[in-house]
Amino acid sequence: MDSKLESECVQDYEGLGWGKSLPVPSVQEIVRNDSRCVPDRYIQEYKNRPVDQSEFYPASFEIPVINFSLLVNGDEDELRKLDAACKEWGFFQVTNHGVAENVLNDMKAAVAAFFELSLDEKKKYAMVENDLEGYGQGYVVSEQQKLDWADLFFLMTLPSTIRKLKLWPVTIPGFKEAVEQFSTEIHKLTKKIFAKLSLLMGMDEDCLKVLHGEMKQAMRMNYYPTCSRPDLVLGVSAHSDASTITLLLQDDEIGGLQIKHKDRWVPVKPIPDAIVVNIGDAAEVWSNGVYKSIEHRAVTNEKKARITVATFVFPGDEAEIGPVESMVDDEHRPSIYRNIKYVDYLRYALERKNGRQSSH
């Protein structure tokens, strides 16, 4: 098996400066070649290994579900549920969100088709040095660090002017159209969520959108192969997101996402056609820590591969993040964050992430 993902057709791209990621073997190919094989590099330290405690979770340990149709039509109960979800969980699922079922299905089919390509074909879209866009595994900074049991394909999707279309596979019929349609619908949903969060933060409906400047969107398409020892590996290691919010399209049948809640890892049960939303670091800063950017991770299973699509929404580079005035009270809730340009925060977050991972 070829252990390197070499770029064959995207070397003319200039990196974003978001950190070098070393090429690593395709986990999908490891499993294809020997479904029982779990190389040492993927076996997590004992303290990080997943433990199945689902039978011990009370019903109250399920993340809130928001009926988005009720929310956008002014239902006060649903608005309070959203506020509580952001404060207490940092995560919620939205149903009746308005993204058509065929748009969701077309996106899932496009991602599945990409990962069904041959390794040689996928390698044409491999990440290049100093750039996290493309196919591979992100944030690999040393030969010693533990690796995630997953392959990913990462694309910047909005604004359309920053798309690297040479990374969009032309050999997959309908791929570009599916991603564009999904991107557009998720952007519409994002603006509606921002409007409600703005109100809850004591601002006008359009304030959070305005604070973003040129809002950006990126998609991480994840392929989690089966694993003969899911108790030893992680599909995605524990992390929080540097985004404002992240919207996740889960597999309808197979769970894998877990979030840290009251010092326990809680599974997020899939709801067909629902979208999981989590608060990111930028939203936590703007809310002065009232809304929480929560650690989360993904686990694997022995029976079936799992595909998910995470859409990250984040501010433009020059946008400033810092507690908004309405969320600061000098006596009762003083500002706990300083103001910083988002691009500088992102550099800091990536350096911290790379530094932490390289020490594993």
Side-chain angles (χ1 to χ4, degrees), residues 86-103:
C86 296
K87 288 175 177 175
E88 297 167 16
W89 288 85
F91 269 79
F92 53 93
Q93 298 205 58
V94 290
T95 58
N96 298 320
H97 43 64
V99 183
E101 186 178 357
N102 68 292
V103 173

Side-chain angles (χ1 to χ4, degrees), residues 42-242:
Y42 296 87
I43 297 176
Q44 295 289 323
E45 303 294 343
Y46 184 79
K47 63 181 179 180
N48 296 328
R49 294 177 189 173
V51 178
D52 185 8
Q53 297 178 320
S54 55
E55 63 187 278
F56 302 112
Y57 294 128
S60 60
F61 270 58
E62 290 187 12
I63 72 167
V65 179
I66 307 294
N67 185 326
F68 206 71
S69 176
L70 293 178
L71 182 69
V72 295
N73 285 310
D75 188 287
E76 289 294 326
D77 286 340
E78 222 63 22
L79 189 63
R80 280 191 290 271
K81 279 175 62 179
L82 175 63
D83 190 43
C86 296
K87 288 175 177 175
E88 297 167 16
W89 288 85
F91 269 79
F92 53 93
Q93 298 205 58
V94 290
T95 58
N96 298 320
H97 43 64
V99 183
E101 186 178 357
N102 68 292
V103 173
L104 303 178
N105 291 338
D106 287 350
M107 184 65 201
K108 291 176 182 177
V111 178
F114 174 80
F115 286 106
E116 286 168 5
L117 295 173
S118 68
L119 180 60
D120 285 342
E121 189 66 24
K122 289 196 289 278
K123 281 163 57 177
K124 294 178 181 179
Y125 308 101
M127 295 173 181
V128 296
E129 185 175 335
N130 208 35
D131 195 348
L132 294 178
E133 282 200 75
Y135 168 68
Q137 191 172 131
Y139 310 114
V140 181
V141 296
S142 82
E143 298 293 342
Q144 289 74 42
Q145 80 183 70
K146 296 299 183 181
L147 298 178
D148 291 340
W149 194 259
D151 296 335
L152 68 88
F153 187 40
F154 187 91
L155 293 176
M156 297 296 299
T157 43
L158 287 177
S160 57
T161 53
I162 65 172
R163 292 176 180 170
K164 296 179 180 177
L165 291 177
K166 284 190 177 180
L167 289 175
W168 294 48
V170 294
T171 55
I172 301 173
F175 180 92
K176 182 173 182 287
E177 293 77 12
V179 173
E180 283 182 331
Q181 186 64 39
F182 184 71
S183 169
T184 298
E185 293 303 311
I186 290 295
H187 185 58
K188 291 178 185 175
L189 177 58
T190 296
K191 289 190 290 185
K192 292 175 183 176
I193 293 172
F194 280 179
K196 296 304 178 184
L197 294 180
S198 295
L199 291 175
L200 288 170
M201 291 165 64
M203 304 185 293
D204 292 337
E205 277 196 346
D206 65 342
C207 279
L208 201 49
K209 182 169 82 71
V210 171
L211 285 171
H212 278 71
E214 187 175 46
M215 194 187 301
K216 292 187 177 180
Q217 182 194 81
M219 288 185 194
R220 173 177 160 146
M221 307 167 201
N222 304 297
Y223 184 90
Y224 303 103
T226 56
C227 184
S228 62
R229 291 298 306 275
D231 57 317
L232 300 180
V233 307
L234 286 172
V236 175
S237 301
H239 67 285
S240 63
D241 294 343

